[in-house]
Amino acid sequence: MNAPEIHGQSIALRGVTKTWDGLHAVRNINIDVPPGTFTVFLGPSGCGKSTTLRIIAGLEFADQGQVLIGDQDVTAKPPAQRDIAMVFQSYALFPHLSVAENILFGLKVRRTPKEQQRARLAKTAHMLGLTDYLARKPAQLSGGQQQRVALGRAIIAEKSICLMDEPLSNLDAKLRNTMRAEIRELQQSIGFSMAYVTHDQAEAITMADQVVLMRAGQVEQAGPPREIYEQPATAFVAGFIGTPPMNLVPGADLWRHLTGFDSAQTDGLENDAARGALTVGIRPEHIRLTDGAGVRTQVRSVEYLGSDTLVDCRVGDSSVLARVSSSSPLSPGESATLTWRADDMHYFASDTGTRLAETPGRTRLLFE
Amino acid sequence: MLHRRAWVYGWLFLSPALLFLFAFTHYPALNTIISSFFSTPRGRRPAKFIGPENYQEMLQDPVFWKVLSNNFWFAAGTIPISIGLALLMALWVNSHLRGRTLARMAFFAPTVLPLIAVANIWMFFYTPGFGLIDQIRGGLFGLPAINLLGNPDTVLAAMIVVAIWKEAGFFMIFYLAALQSIPPVLREAADVEGAGRFYFFRRVMLPLLMPTTLFVSVNAVINSFRLVDHIFVMTDGGPNNASSLLLFYIYETAFKFWQTGYAATLTVVMLILLSVLAIGQFFLFDRKIHYQ
């Protein structure tokens, strides 16, 4: 990989708020995108991630707060003065222009010298494998090729920031995987800062240096993918990340079904959990089947996934998904005892959903 | 067998439309071409074949040339201005302005109103002395009264204005529909690249509107030959044939002077003219047009 060609600029949002007819689209958002890094805005539809991106782009303007690019306040500036390029979900290719003209659109607007246009077009087309398609119209291209043209239009400008709004959502799964890697590689080799919106957590986890997980117009958690996965800040994040996501079970439900433990260890736990309004989180992939001590459950359904099997177990009123090796035969109606390492347990306040830092003492004894 | 039956059904379904199409379009057109080579039948004298005599007479007819040149200027005046105006109005009512529904309705109203009724209103506008135009000229600027419809130099221009007023709103609807089919995200993509309004209009919107422009311009050409209702009401082709158009002259020749043979000849000329223009437009535009 070559050394980066351009220096990405940092993006910072300071207390950005935007309302539509009194409804908050985004509320008091604070985000920092360090220069030259890849930040993914992730969240369910309607969480305000696209609005946030459009505020960074200058296609929408914040009601309150500041948008900083580099050390410049661009809050009120039009998109063209923000040193950004953007790729849209629908690609926004000009249907009457050829691939070459589409890619060159911005350079022509800015009257870049013709020779430079030619040289950069050749380079960009080569980088994206579009050299043979330059004379075609967008309608004569496949979805993946159209996507590349949109990418080409964004990177030929050599802007210090690139914004992408769900650029891969119109592609089929296989193509999405290759494009994912390709976009990440482009970003790293060219060196621009990337703000990328998606609702696909696989994209977020695989591509990002930083994931910003949003919900209802607010940032739930911002951090590296590993942190988001390993230390979810809220129950919402825990229940969003992972396929399938983390099991969230009321503590009282879990303790009520403990089996094989010393009664001295378990007495009173149930009440503690109920009093503390505790929600326990455990990832399906961390659950093991055991013959010894654990949580006693009823198997409701079994989903065979090849190497793994997804077992849906009933614990009181809650359901717990466990991803276990396919070699352990289970069938619906059977009972199964589940166990896991104490380190893999997460604790959240049931009412606010926030992560509880310290592990309630006695559970550590239970799961080794 | 089944195939045969499907074939019969097909023709049965087609036949009502075909019947009318042949009876009222193809047969008359054919008959017109034949009649143009015959003399006008009078009383006991039936029409007889006279070859190209009608056409020779036409070439000698100063009124024909007058009417043809009138029609040329009428077309040259109405087509570009009504299309340009239609596009402007469409752009305007497509933007986020207050009361745009009202504006759209106002622009479209002339299309809905019958031209005969509208012509009477325009007669009032043009009336010398106390018509709207003279009221403004006299009241505001102290200018003397003018008779726009009575002067051979101004009457055609006055007719052109009425036709533009009538047509522009109709064409606006097509442009409006086309504008609304242009995805707003293209505007945003252009914004990000720093394209100004005019650049975007010239390089993106105008090309994307070309199919509509072709459709509208073919219609405008046809209308410039077809739209003569207001001439009946307002000028009757006068003064001195200064506002007479080809179709109006055909009507006069056929149903006032009863020279049906000659009228058929004029009609053939008009048909040829229209076909050549329409086909020409398709060839002229087709290379430049991007169809979605």
Side-chain angles (χ1 to χ4, degrees):
Chain A
M1 209 180 289
N2 304 329
E5 294 163 33
I6 52 178
H7 289 286
Q9 292 202 69
S10 63
I11 308 168
L13 298 183
R14 298 270 174 268
V16 167
T17 295
K18 172 88 190 169
T19 50
W20 302 111
D21 303 323
L23 286 167
H24 280 88
V26 296
R27 194 191 314 207
N28 191 23
I29 299 259
N30 290 290
I31 296 165
D32 279 288
V33 178
T37 63
F38 201 123
T39 291
V40 172
F41 293 83
L42 177 67
S45 4
C47 72
K49 54 192 191 300
S50 277
T51 306
T52 308
L53 194 78
R54 291 169 63 83
I55 289 172
I56 296 173
L59 296 170
E60 309 286 353
F61 292 95
D63 297 333
Q64 286 165 35
Q66 274 186 309
V67 181
L68 303 166
I69 286 178
D71 44 17
Q72 256 198 321
D73 184 345
V74 297
T75 313
K77 284 193 176 162
Q81 290 174 26
R82 295 185 177 208
D83 200 22
I84 54 156
M86 188 158 178
V87 176
F88 295 86
Q89 181 176 8
S90 59
Y91 313 145
L93 300 179
F94 302 112
H96 60 295
L97 297 179
S98 69
V99 168
E101 286 168 316
N102 263 291
I103 294 177
L104 286 172
F105 187 84
L107 298 191
K108 284 195 169 155
V109 169
R110 293 186 287 279
R111 311 220 166 144
T112 312
K114 279 269 186 306
E115 276 159 46
Q116 209 180 329
Q117 283 188 21
R118 242 194 313 273
R120 284 214 237 165
L121 174 64
K123 187 174 134 198
T124 308
H126 177 72
M127 207 186 307
L128 294 166
L130 286 170
T131 311
D132 296 338
Y133 304 100
L134 288 176
R136 291 210 197 166
K137 296 276 171 71
Q140 298 166 300
L141 301 176
S142 70
Q145 289 165 335
Q146 291 183 16
Q147 166 70 62
R148 279 161 203 272
V149 178
L151 279 178
R153 195 172 62 189
I155 63 177
I156 198 171
E158 295 178 358
K159 299 289 182 78
S160 64
I161 288 170
C162 186
L163 309 175
M164 296 196 181
D165 188 0
E166 308 215 12
L168 305 183
S169 58
N170 292 342
L171 302 180
D172 61 70
K174 198 177 161 198
L175 202 52
R176 216 178 299 168
N177 285 342
T178 54
M179 287 307 288
R180 215 146 74 183
E182 218 167 294
I183 289 176
R184 174 69 172 152
E185 204 184 302
L186 273 178
Q187 184 267 329
Q188 290 192 326
S189 65
I190 300 177
F192 51 78
S193 313
M194 171 77 94
Y196 185 106
V197 163
T198 183
H199 61 257
D200 180 349
Q201 52 167 305
E203 273 175 36
I205 298 287
T206 53
M207 296 166 94
D209 295 313
Q210 176 185 223
V211 175
V212 176
L213 207 146
M214 294 183 67
R215 174 206 193 184
Q218 284 174 305
V219 175
E220 283 280 313
Q221 188 175 3
R226 183 175 283 274
E227 184 186 309
I228 297 269
Y229 177 80
E230 290 179 355
Q231 289 172 303
T234 64
F236 175 79
V237 176
F240 191 85
I241 298 289
T243 37
M246 188 183 286
N247 294 300
L248 295 166
V249 188
D253 257 352
L254 224 48
W255 307 154
R256 205 176 295 137
H257 294 85
L258 291 176
T259 176
F261 289 102
D262 219 336
S263 66
Q265 282 184 316
T266 54
D267 275 354
L269 261 182
E270 192 183 325
N271 291 336
D272 284 356
R275 215 171 24 245
L278 188 74
T279 298
V280 173
I282 180 76
R283 294 211 173 270
E285 51 271 39
H286 293 152
I287 297 177
R288 280 174 293 124
L289 296 170
T290 181
D291 296 327
V295 177
R296 205 176 165 71
T297 63
Q298 281 274 314
V299 176
R300 287 181 69 212
S301 65
V302 177
E303 198 179 331
Y304 177 70
L305 299 176
S307 62
D308 299 327
T309 299
L310 215 50
V311 188
D312 184 2
C313 305
R314 195 98 197 135
V315 185
D317 292 333
S318 334
S319 109
V320 172
L321 276 177
R323 186 191 277 273
V324 298
S325 157
S326 289
S327 56
S328 35
L330 276 174
S331 48
E334 279 182 49
S335 63
T337 307
L338 308 178
T339 185
W340 47 77
R341 296 182 332 140
D343 282 348
D344 290 332
M345 295 176 78
H346 305 259
Y347 301 93
F348 303 97
S350 298
D351 44 357
T352 58
T354 49
R355 184 182 186 84
L356 301 175
E358 80 277 22
T359 317
R362 283 205 286 179
T363 50
R364 194 156 266 291
L365 298 171
L366 290 174
F367 299 93
E368 284 317 321
Chain B
M1 187 62 203
L2 195 72
H3 182 74
R4 176 81 159 265
R5 183 179 289 178
W7 185 80
V8 170
Y9 277 133
W11 281 105
L12 275 176
F13 282 126
L14 278 178
S15 59
L18 271 185
L19 202 71
F20 283 104
L21 197 65
F22 275 106
F24 294 104
T25 304
H26 295 141
Y27 171 71
L30 207 67
N31 212 11
T32 302
I33 295 171
I34 294 166
S35 300
S36 74
F37 293 101
F38 282 79
S39 67
T40 304
R42 296 205 189 279
R44 275 176 291 171
R45 200 150 41 93
K48 72 168 199 286
F49 183 75
I50 52 169
E53 219 172 90
N54 277 330
Y55 289 89
Q56 282 158 359
E57 187 196 334
M58 180 182 75
L59 296 177
Q60 311 285 322
D61 178 5
V63 180
F64 167 71
W65 290 109
K66 173 77 186 163
V67 167
L68 205 61
S69 97
N70 279 350
N71 219 142
F72 170 76
W73 289 114
F74 185 75
T78 52
I79 297 168
I81 297 179
S82 59
I83 292 178
L85 208 58
L87 182 54
L88 276 180
M89 295 193 302
L91 287 170
W92 193 48
V93 298
N94 193 39
S95 59
H96 298 281
L97 87 155
R98 277 162 149 284
R100 64 175 177 179
T101 316
L102 205 70
R104 283 179 192 180
M105 205 173 70
F107 288 154
F108 193 61
T111 309
V112 188
L113 299 172
L115 189 49
I116 302 279
V118 159
N120 279 298
I121 300 172
W122 277 93
M123 285 266 274
F124 162 70
F125 290 171
Y126 288 141
T127 309
F130 58 89
L132 183 72
I133 291 170
D134 267 358
Q135 298 271 8
I136 293 170
R137 277 169 57 90
L140 285 177
F141 305 104
L143 295 166
I146 48 164
N147 187 355
L148 289 165
L149 298 183
N151 184 342
D153 296 332
T154 55
V155 66
L156 192 62
M159 293 299 103
I160 289 173
V161 169
V162 178
I164 291 171
W165 176 86
K166 172 80 181 165
E167 281 196 308
F170 181 55
F171 296 152
M172 176 200 75
I173 291 294
F174 295 105
Y175 274 123
L176 189 58
L179 282 175
Q180 290 181 346
S181 73
I182 296 179
V185 71
L186 293 186
R187 172 74 259 200
E188 292 178 346
D191 272 345
V192 169
E193 301 292 352
R197 273 174 93 114
F198 183 69
Y199 188 91
F200 180 72
F201 176 74
R202 193 164 55 87
R203 293 298 309 275
V204 180
M205 271 166 109
L206 219 48
L208 290 179
L209 290 175
M210 276 311 267
T212 312
T213 304
L214 173 63
F215 174 79
V216 162
S217 68
V218 169
N219 268 282
V221 166
I222 293 170
N223 277 355
S224 71
F225 284 91
R226 197 185 59 108
L227 213 63
V228 294
D229 316 24
H230 57 311
I231 290 168
F232 283 91
V233 178
M234 297 175 75
T235 66
D236 226 358
N240 191 22
N241 288 320
S243 64
S244 181
L245 301 178
L246 188 53
L247 185 60
F248 185 80
Y249 185 49
I250 292 171
Y251 169 82
E252 272 192 322
T253 311
F255 302 112
K256 266 190 179 161
F257 314 143
W258 292 106
Q259 296 184 343
T260 47
Y262 185 42
T265 312
L266 291 171
T267 308
V268 169
V269 169
M270 182 154 131
L271 282 178
I272 292 171
L273 219 57
L274 278 178
S275 335
V276 168
L277 282 171
I279 293 167
Q281 277 175 311
F282 273 107
F283 277 107
L284 182 75
F285 279 113
D286 210 36
R287 258 176 251 170
K288 300 182 190 166
I289 289 189
H290 168 81
Y291 291 99
Q292 298 264 12

